[in-house]
Amino acid sequence: MTSAFRTTRRTKELLRREIPGTAGVLADPHDFAAMRRYRTFPFQDHTRYLRHLEDHLRTRTAQGMRTSLALFDPAAYAEYCAELGIDPDSIDSRARYTGELAATGATLPYAGEPLPQLLPLLVEETGRQAVWDTAATRLAEAGTCQECGADLSHTAFALATQALKELLDGLGDGTHHLVCSIPAGPPPLLAALRVTSEEGRHSLAESPSLTFCTVLAAGIAHRTPGGIVSRSTRPEPRPEATTPHDTVRGWTLRDGWPEPLTAAQVFTAYCTDAETGDPIPPEPHVDHTEGFPLTRPPETHHC
């Protein structure tokens, strides 16, 4: 039996113990390096670890076994073990933590895709889940209206849903990328949403739209400042244009409702470095246009 064969077989055995049904993936080399301090963590090289992991996942898939992927965070894992009083230098502890991720964290199903293709999506989904968790907590803290007793979180979410619908209806046909930003401590809450609209029908994913509305609702409920930026690509370029033009619009949260920015305000916001305040050259083929008014429901004046 060759040394390479023994190494491969042992790696597969270790991976079977590490992956009870959900694989906690160390997507980042720094996270991988942090796990190497544990004696029971058997892997030495991040690239080889990902290659062996992908081989093992494909084998499970070929055998009809379902596997989901979750992002493994060494710092959160250490805190988890400290809270429960369990040994972090243990395969069983890692499997237990991964099981918690499967129940409460962001996961993606694995269906044979190359890991380099899937990992960016997993990182994005994990970030989206974290934003939703924070926004949902912030929204729940809104409580009830002292004047009418209404549940402010419920009211604010309904208003956010209505605002999003009006935005999409007003933007019309095309591909739209919307970003909602609400200050909630460093860093601010950011939710991005990609929508394709055609003849009044809007195609959008459920999870990103839920996160977008939750972040917007948190800003509405607490009357915080914030804003929405949309970037739209027309389905066809203008006749005189050789390339499609993008249109950027903006709104600011004022008294719990998105109010349109002027074209000059949109240009300034979009062409200014958020960290340094320095101007950024405008992109070619991008029109900076004023936002359009959204119908303010009567509830925003009372609650």
Side-chain angles (χ1 to χ4, degrees):
M1 184 181 297
T2 65
S3 174
F5 180 80
R6 286 196 299 269
T7 300
T8 300
R9 188 175 68 178
R10 173 167 171 74
T11 299
K12 290 181 178 179
E13 291 172 352
L14 290 167
L15 283 169
R16 275 195 290 270
R17 296 183 64 188
E18 295 273 349
I19 304 173
T22 298
V25 184
L26 294 158
D28 186 277
H30 296 290
D31 289 341
F32 179 85
M35 290 301 295
R36 289 193 59 196
R37 71 176 183 266
Y38 298 121
R39 178 184 54 82
T40 58
F41 185 74
F43 309 103
Q44 303 298 319
D45 179 80
H46 187 237
T47 300
R48 292 184 64 189
Y49 155 78
L50 290 177
R51 185 169 65 248
H52 283 303
L53 177 60
E54 182 174 316
D55 289 343
H56 184 67
L57 291 171
R58 286 182 171 175
T59 299
R60 287 174 60 94
T61 301
Q63 294 172 348
M65 302 172 69
R66 296 182 178 180
T67 310
S68 58
L69 302 182
L71 209 60
F72 196 102
D73 183 341
Y77 169 67
E79 293 178 2
Y80 171 83
C81 292
E83 289 177 1
L84 295 183
I86 59 177
D87 181 10
D89 197 355
S90 163
I91 293 178
D92 291 338
S93 296
R94 291 195 291 274
R96 183 173 176 177
Y97 173 70
T98 302
E100 289 287 331
L101 289 178
T104 62
T107 61
L108 288 180
Y110 181 79
E113 305 93 334
L115 274 184
Q117 172 183 321
L118 201 57
L119 289 183
L121 300 178
L122 180 60
V123 172
E124 179 181 334
E125 178 64 16
T126 302
R128 186 206 61 75
Q129 179 73 44
V131 169
W132 182 86
D133 288 342
T134 303
T137 299
R138 176 100 174 122
L139 182 58
E141 293 170 348
T144 59
C145 177
Q146 296 181 353
E147 296 181 9
C148 67
D151 183 338
L152 292 179
S153 62
H154 178 80
T155 301
F157 191 85
L159 293 172
T161 302
Q162 177 178 332
L164 176 59
K165 183 181 184 304
E166 285 205 35
L167 278 170
L168 297 182
D169 289 344
L171 290 172
D173 290 354
T175 300
H176 313 294
H177 185 261
L178 292 86
V179 176
C180 180
S181 173
I182 301 295
L189 289 174
L190 288 172
L193 180 62
R194 187 178 185 276
V195 184
T196 301
S197 300
E198 184 177 1
E199 297 181 352
R201 297 186 301 273
H202 310 300
S203 176
L204 63 168
E206 181 178 356
S207 292
S209 60
L210 174 62
T211 302
F212 187 94
C213 287
T214 305
V215 170
L216 178 56
I220 291 174
H222 289 278
R223 293 294 199 271
T224 61
I228 300 171
V229 173
S230 71
R231 180 164 180 160
S232 303
T233 302
R234 297 180 179 89
E236 297 292 341
R238 294 181 295 190
E240 69 275 13
T242 57
T243 58
H245 269 65
D246 285 0
T247 301
V248 176
R249 295 181 174 87
W251 293 260
T252 183
L253 274 182
R254 184 175 297 119
D255 192 27
W257 188 249
E259 297 288 347
L261 295 174
T262 66
Q265 289 171 323
V266 172
F267 181 89
T268 299
Y270 210 75
C271 298
T272 301
D273 188 294
E275 295 184 359
T276 66
D278 295 334
I280 300 174
E283 297 179 57
H285 312 298
V286 174
D287 298 328
H288 300 86
T289 306
E290 69 277 0
F292 45 82
L294 306 178
T295 304
R296 178 187 284 265
E299 290 82 358
T300 59
H301 295 295
H302 303 301
C303 297

